[in-house]
Amino acid sequence: MARTRRVGGKSKKVTVSTDAYGHTAGWAATDLEAALAVPPDSEAAAFFDVDNTMMQGASIYWFARGLASRKYLTTGDLARFAWQQARFRLLARENAGDMSKAKATALAFVEGWRVDDMERLSEEIFDELMAERIWAGTRALAQLHLDAGQRVWLVSAAPVELGRVIAERLGLTGAVGTVAEVQDGAYTGRLVGDLMHGPAKADAILQLATVEGLDLSRCTAYSDSSNDIPMLSIVGNAVAVNPDSALRAEARERGWEVRDFRTGRKAAKIAVPTTAATAVLFGAVAAGVAMRRRRSRR
């Protein structure tokens, strides 16, 4: 129906929709949305580690669980994952030799896979095993940044394709992760650059800040692991989420905020592999799949 409204200081006859009671439909909602719209904040962003920060346990472990259910791996391979996790926790430090070996074999297990198959498996396995393990508290923190008009990236040692799927499912901006070399739509099994681990995360964020025009002093980073202190140190706001003992001590010394979404301190000893073992898990996955391939050829 036609109704006279004041538009731009003048009376103007416009056509508006009304409901059964004669109330205008759409005007109030549109005005409210415009009033509540938050302009993009192009210089501020948030960076979230994934393993034990955004998700309970290591994403590569749950990915391996999904592969095992599809007969790519066996329960024996998964048992070796747990052994590697226990070994890393006992050593309480990174072993340079293991890291070097892990880098050499990190993504060997995807050699010959099509990129679209990797993306499909990542989507399926996220929905099956990972979605329910997202920390609600950390997800809410990410949403606060999005609501403030900021972009939010995941930064993980996991394959970047898996990181992108997690980011997409959570409605985040994107992900930074370990990159596998691709030729003709298939993986060669070699890495492009380093594992996205430790100082490499800080380097990636610095590069991203340059490309995206970010002011790192206005950015925030979140992690559970002391391995990510380099990443936490380059932003203006660092938050320790479900921190390990070393990061908790560092946060206390530097005055960083601490958020713990675990039900108790015993949760720090979660049985599934954590970020510290992610690099070795790549090697374990590679070894397991290579063994399956050798057996299938006999």
Side-chain angles (χ1 to χ4, degrees), residues 1-297:
M1 63 173 292
R3 179 172 296 181
T4 301
R5 294 180 58 93
R6 292 195 61 83
V7 180
K10 300 180 180 179
S11 295
K12 184 177 181 180
K13 185 172 291 187
V14 296
T15 300
V16 299
S17 300
T18 60
D19 58 21
Y21 301 97
H23 299 141
T24 58
W27 285 93
T30 301
D31 292 345
L32 179 61
E33 289 173 1
L36 295 179
V38 178
D41 188 344
S42 62
E43 294 187 335
F47 305 97
F48 285 81
D49 170 54
V50 175
D51 300 345
N52 287 319
T53 303
M54 183 62 74
M55 175 187 299
Q56 298 178 47
S59 55
I60 192 66
Y61 173 79
W62 297 117
F63 186 68
R65 282 278 299 269
L67 292 179
S69 70
R70 291 162 173 77
K71 309 303 181 184
Y72 287 94
L73 298 174
T74 69
T75 53
D77 297 325
L78 294 177
R80 279 188 288 276
F81 293 173
W83 179 85
Q84 291 283 10
Q85 163 66 3
R87 179 173 179 273
F88 263 75
R89 297 193 74 85
L90 288 173
L91 291 175
R93 63 183 175 84
E94 297 292 347
N95 181 284
D98 282 342
M99 289 295 292
S100 177
K101 182 178 180 181
K103 178 181 176 180
T105 61
L107 293 178
F109 76 101
V110 298
E111 181 182 356
W113 287 19
R114 303 292 303 176
V115 175
D116 52 2
D117 287 336
M118 179 69 165
E119 294 172 344
R120 173 182 55 79
L121 285 168
S122 296
E123 292 173 352
E124 292 177 1
I125 294 171
F126 176 86
D127 294 340
E128 292 173 9
L129 298 174
M130 300 181 193
E132 63 184 1
R133 293 177 170 86
I134 297 296
W135 290 108
T138 311
R139 177 67 187 86
L141 291 174
Q143 189 60 49
L144 288 175
H145 288 281
L146 293 173
D147 291 344
Q150 300 177 12
R151 287 166 287 178
V152 177
W153 279 279
L154 298 178
V155 185
S156 174
V160 67
E161 290 83 3
L162 179 57
R164 287 171 182 162
V165 166
I166 298 173
E168 180 181 348
R169 288 295 200 263
L170 297 180
L172 309 181
T173 306
V176 178
T178 300
V179 178
E181 184 181 68
V182 176
Q183 289 184 358
D184 299 323
Y187 296 106
T188 66
R190 296 185 294 271
L191 289 185
V192 176
D194 293 325
L195 283 167
M196 192 56 60
H197 180 79
K201 289 187 177 181
D203 292 341
I205 290 175
L206 287 170
Q207 294 176 27
L208 187 61
T210 299
V211 172
E212 298 292 337
L214 300 174
D215 178 356
L216 287 177
S217 68
R218 299 187 57 232
C219 293
T220 307
Y222 300 81
S223 179
D224 74 295
S225 174
S226 58
N227 293 320
D228 287 337
I229 288 175
M231 174 179 84
L232 295 168
S233 300
I234 64 172
V235 296
N237 304 292
V239 183
V241 177
N242 306 327
D244 59 27
S245 57
L247 180 57
R248 186 178 291 274
E250 187 78 11
R252 186 182 302 114
E253 181 177 338
R254 297 201 189 193
W256 290 345
E257 183 180 355
V258 175
R259 296 290 187 101
D260 202 324
F261 302 116
R262 297 167 293 192
T263 56
R265 294 303 300 275
K266 289 183 179 180
K269 299 179 181 180
I270 190 167
V272 297
T274 58
T275 302
T278 297
V280 172
L281 288 182
F282 280 125
V285 172
V289 175
M291 187 177 297
R292 303 286 81 69
R293 286 176 173 173
R294 286 197 295 271
R295 289 174 180 172
S296 65
R297 290 169 182 170

